[in-house]
Structures are given as structure tokens and as C-alpha cells.
Amino acid sequence: ETLARAKQTDPFGYILKPFSERELRTVLEMALYRHQAEARLRDSELRFRTIFESEPECVKVVAANGALLEMNAAGLAMLEVASVAEANAHGLMNFIVPEQRAAFTAVHRRAMAGLRGLLEFEVVGKHGTRRWLETHAAPMRDRNDRVVSMLGVTRDITERKLAVQALHDSNERYRSLVEWTPEAMLVLRDGKVLYANPAARSLYAAAPTQDMIGMPMAALIHPDFLASHLERVRRIVDGLDRASMALLKLVRFDGGVIDAEAQGSSIAYDGAPAVHVVLRDVTARNLAERQLRKLSLAVEQSTASI
């Protein structure tokens, strides 16, 4: 009965009468050791809890059955709840948009199988705010090395997702704008064609089966003008040449050579620097100018002889 009452005080040790000085010393030393060990454990837990709650990224522990065991303040703010209990009452899976719940379940199962995983998914907070999150999942093990839960470290990537989507939309608007313009347009990077609109394919007399994407400009420009063209592209990329006009000769797919005006400018294309080039066929205009000059010269010579 005495021992039962003593247990209720959670003692560091106990000794039964009668006892010797040696037994008393042993019990006291063990009690002091346990007290110091528990003090170290409390300090360690306090440090962990401080780090856990101060971490700006969401840190959560998910049980094998999918219930939320722990989540720091950053994670609760992402879900727009005040506590783990409130999150569980709402249902952790209900925060995830329906079309991505299967992927989250697969990552959870992978972690419970002892493997790491990475997932981007979208959530809707309790108050309706939508966020894109990226989570790194890892298995959590007990002292017997058994996987008992999943640790997830999650960051808010909404701004990055929106920026990528805006870039994609911008590129799509650019494609729509230039796809049907009568001006021949190319996008170049590292001396190769990234994009050619239908007017450019027509200018180069490209057959339906001939793909210009990836072609080096060396194959599309007359050798006499290649060096000056490459230098001009370099200057555009370096910001030293802004949309000035240049004359050059182009080599078509049918082997013909035409006169052209080229105007280039620096743009961002698929998230990286590139050069946008507008080409105009001036062969007929140059021919007319030459014929006009010949006619003017003939008139001058005729007038002089009279």
C-alpha cells in the first residue's frame, strides 16, 4: 500500500526499510542520474519545440491512418485553422483539392513503406484561400526502427506557380499574336531557331515535312552575310543593338537566294533570353530599284549625247 502511494508521486527512486548506507547511496545516485537525464530531455524537447514552432515552413507529422498528429504554426496558418484538433475535425484530406488527393495518398503510402517522396499539390484553406504547396515527405521510425508516421516539410510555392503560369500565358499570347501575322518571324537562341511562324516558313519555301525548329541560322543565311548576322545577334543579346534594321540575303529550302530586311530585338522566351527577328522579302523592291537606277542612267546618258 505504501509503495502504491509512492508511485503516485512519480518518484526518482525508492528504498525499503531496513536499508544500509550503501543501499541508500546507490538509490540516491540513481535518483540524481535520472533527474539529470530527465532535465536534459526536457531541455532537448524545449529546443526542438522552439525550432518546430519557429520554422517558417510547414512541418507536420501524419499518422499511418492519415490523421494529423502535429503541425507547427506556419502549417496551421496555411490551412487557416487555429489548432491540430481543428484541422483534424475538418479532415486533412479535405484541404487538398479533389483531383490531387490520390497523389497525396500515394506519397503518404510511400513514406509509410520507408521511402521518401516529393509532391506539388494545391490546397484550399478553411476560409477558402487556395495555395500551391510543395512537400518533402519522409518516414518517421520508432526505437525499433519501425515506420510509425510520415514527416512532411512543406513550403508555399503559390507565387512561383503563378509566375510560371503567367509566363506560359504570355508565351501563348505571343504565339497567338505572331502565328497569323503576315510578317515572317523567328525566335533565335544560341544561333538556332526556337520558333518560326507560318509566314517565316513560307518565306523560306519550307515544305510541310520540313521543320525549321532547331536549325542553325548558318543554314538559312547566305555565307557572305553570316558573320555580320551573328555579330549583330550578339550585340542584341548584350543590349548594345536595339531593333535596328539590317540588309542580308537568305537561303531558301528550294536553294533560291532572296534579299531581306531583318529587324531584331531581345525578348524572354520560355523563361530565358532570346532574339526575336522580323524578316521582310525585299527582293522585288531591290530589283525595281536597280531597274529604276538603270533607267535613270540610260536617260542621263541619252540626254548627254543630245
Side-chain angles (χ1 to χ4, degrees), residues 121-135:
F121 61 103
E122 193 175 10
V123 298
V124 180
K126 193 172 180 181
H127 300 310
T129 304
R130 299 179 74 94
R131 289 181 173 88
W132 274 97
L133 305 179
E134 178 186 74
T135 190

Side-chain angles (χ1 to χ4, degrees), residues 9-206:
T9 67
D10 194 21
F12 286 106
Y14 65 91
I15 189 169
L16 300 177
K17 297 178 181 181
F19 55 82
S20 65
E21 180 181 349
R22 180 179 180 182
E23 289 173 329
L24 178 60
R25 180 179 296 275
T26 299
V27 170
L28 289 174
E29 287 183 357
M30 291 301 296
L32 288 172
Y33 176 80
R34 180 181 170 188
H35 176 269
Q36 293 167 355
E38 290 193 1
R40 289 194 297 270
L41 179 60
R42 286 195 299 270
D43 291 342
S44 176
E45 289 178 345
L46 179 60
R47 286 194 299 271
F48 166 78
R49 183 57 55 183
T50 301
I51 294 172
F52 181 79
E53 292 299 339
S54 301
E55 171 60 45
E57 310 290 5
C58 165
V59 181
K60 62 182 179 290
V61 179
V62 181
N65 64 0
L68 186 63
L69 298 177
E70 288 193 78
M71 177 175 277
N72 65 351
L76 296 175
M78 289 179 185
L79 300 183
E80 299 177 327
V81 294
S83 65
V84 171
E86 185 179 356
N88 279 325
H90 182 82
L92 183 60
M93 196 61 68
N94 291 329
F95 289 103
I96 303 170
V97 297
E99 58 269 24
Q100 292 166 2
R101 291 173 185 171
F104 185 88
T105 300
V107 167
H108 179 255
R109 288 176 178 170
R110 180 178 175 86
M112 296 308 299
L115 302 172
R116 293 177 176 270
L118 175 66
L119 177 67
E120 292 184 1
F121 61 103
E122 193 175 10
V123 298
V124 180
K126 193 172 180 181
H127 300 310
T129 304
R130 299 179 74 94
R131 289 181 173 88
W132 274 97
L133 305 179
E134 178 186 74
T135 190
H136 293 256
M140 290 193 71
R141 303 176 184 273
D142 62 12
R143 66 180 63 184
N144 297 316
D145 201 36
R146 294 176 302 186
V147 178
V148 293
S149 56
M150 179 191 83
L151 172 66
V153 179
T154 305
R155 67 179 58 188
D156 188 333
I157 60 169
T158 304
E159 289 188 7
R160 188 183 78 189
K161 275 286 188 179
L162 291 177
V164 170
Q165 185 60 47
L167 178 61
H168 174 76
D169 292 344
S170 176
N171 285 341
E172 288 303 310
R173 286 194 297 271
Y174 171 81
R175 288 179 186 273
S176 298
L177 178 65
V178 304
E179 194 72 12
W180 302 110
T181 180
E183 297 276 16
M185 295 185 180
L186 301 176
V187 177
L188 312 176
R189 183 184 296 142
D190 297 330
K192 294 183 179 180
V193 177
L194 293 181
Y195 171 77
N197 72 345
R201 294 177 55 82
S202 176
L203 178 69
Y204 275 98

